[in-house]
Amino acid sequence: MRLYMTESPEKIYPDKKMEVYDFVPEDGTENEVVNLYPGLTYQTMEGFGGAVTDAAGYVFSMMDKDQKEELLDMYFGEEGMHYNRVRLHMDSCDFSTRLYSAVEDEEDENLDTFSFAHTEKYMIPLLEAAQQRAGKKLKVMLSAWSPPEFMKTNGSRIGGGSLKKEYYSRWAKYLSRYIEEFEKRGYEVERMSLQNEPAAVQTWDSCVYTVEEEKEFLRDHLCPEMKKRGLEHVEIFGWDHNKERLFERASGLIDKETDDMITGLAFHWYSGDHFEALDLVRQMYPDKKLILSESCLEFGKYDKDMETENAIRLSHDMIGNLNHGMQAFYDWNILLDGEGGPNHQNNFCDSPYLYHEDEKRLEERRICRYYWHFAHFIEAGAVRIAHTRYTEKLDVTAWRNPSGDIVCIFMNKLDEKLPAVIRMEGELCRISLEPRAIASCVIKNSGKKEKEA
């Protein structure tokens, strides 16, 4: 067997000239070992993606042709991340240029005034450009942050509030209409979530559901409406919020009546690791998919200039989620301005790309190249394989791609080098990881004809 390795410490883009190592026969080494067990497998990876928000589309519209191509190549090109999925919001979210609803007339029971104009202004051009660069349809996930203000108990899109009972049926029609608007334009809506962050009262677009309310809306209104309109092919995900309460929400939402209605659970990263929560859901509901639907660093909590430390934080979360059952990953905004917006509530956040309008400069952030290792090397259809590691200082995840190649992602969280002895099927290979570096290793069977890496 032969191992090809590319590493990103402080430098940004690793080129395609990967270091080559040959495996040697097992010699009894016990220390510094990372074991790989390709015969023991877990979940299948569907792919990686990011959010095409109103804010991202607006910033994209200001960039020149070369800058647009640079961004699209990284996310959707052959040498880039191979993103095959995107998440879009229905009506406005905090990362919108303004608050808006597709219907604002309380008397419009049939949604005759439904307008897709807000979505078409900035989001659709970015989605279309992304699809053209990918050379295929991207699978779309839709999420709502809030119903129109007249449907809510607090009379506002912002500040929480709940969906009034008398509007459950109309809101189900509203969400179904959004799906139809995307599909009639040729986009592939793969899935939707019931509500973004249903337990959060935010100063931006938000709506609170108890688990009983969410279950009632799903069972008695949304699913019947989607079935009526022939939209049963769209997967429905519950929760779409932080991991620390993922298991409780799954337990309350899924029962004999709703089991067939729920494809899986979506989660966010903002409340810490809680990787064990993914294990609990997998144990209790092994047929449900687990997807990370939102992840980013808020500038109000994390220092914007601590790029490497922030990249390590997010990559640690990525590896932990992958190792505990995650099947798809959606980054938050794929592009923002230099301040981390626009955001109508000043909730500024980081993104793999920031565009500085005053300088006409596109900035690639460190996290972009860390995420590149995961999304570039772990292909859609890859299956996670078992591994063991000798220290918690080293994060490891291992996958078998459809080609049969084994991909290992290593991350050294220390300020000093870390050695690793990769051991698999009676052979081993010694490597060394640079301080605070992320590395990808591709293991090919030496008996196969290999292409140049």
Side-chain angles (χ1 to χ4, degrees), residues 367-384:
I367 187 57
C368 186
R369 298 300 171 164
Y370 275 66
Y371 277 173
W372 175 85
H373 283 268
F374 300 102
H376 180 81
F377 289 102
I378 302 174
E379 300 172 1
V383 178
R384 183 166 66 89

Side-chain angles (χ1 to χ4, degrees), residues 135-173:
K136 61 185 177 184
K137 288 187 177 182
L138 300 172
K139 295 181 183 297
V140 173
M141 177 180 181
L142 298 176
S143 299
W145 266 242
S146 173
E149 57 187 25
F150 65 83
M151 294 188 186
K152 297 179 64 186
T153 57
N154 68 341
S156 174
R157 289 192 60 83
I158 66 176
S162 299
L163 178 63
K164 295 178 181 178
K165 293 278 188 178
E166 61 264 34
Y167 286 106
Y168 275 28
S169 180
R170 198 188 304 187
W171 183 233
K173 294 177 182 177

Side-chain angles (χ1 to χ4, degrees), residues 364-404:
E364 182 187 281
R365 304 286 286 171
R366 183 65 49 85
I367 187 57
C368 186
R369 298 300 171 164
Y370 275 66
Y371 277 173
W372 175 85
H373 283 268
F374 300 102
H376 180 81
F377 289 102
I378 302 174
E379 300 172 1
V383 178
R384 183 166 66 89
I385 66 171
H387 76 274
T388 69
R389 56 182 175 147
Y390 74 95
T391 175
E392 64 179 10
K393 300 168 185 175
L394 183 65
D395 280 344
V396 182
T397 190
W399 296 73
R400 184 177 64 230
N401 276 332
S403 64

Side-chain angles (χ1 to χ4, degrees), residues 165-208:
K165 293 278 188 178
E166 61 264 34
Y167 286 106
Y168 275 28
S169 180
R170 198 188 304 187
W171 183 233
K173 294 177 182 177
Y174 195 108
L175 297 179
S176 299
R177 176 68 177 274
Y178 254 109
I179 297 171
E180 291 172 339
E181 292 294 332
F182 277 98
E183 290 191 337
K184 77 181 185 181
R185 289 166 174 79
Y187 300 109
E188 181 180 343
V189 180
E190 177 188 33
R191 56 184 51 139
M192 67 178 294
S193 60
L194 287 167
Q195 166 67 39
N196 179 74
E197 299 185 351
V201 176
Q202 304 284 24
T203 59
W204 52 84
D205 315 63
S206 49
C207 184
V208 175

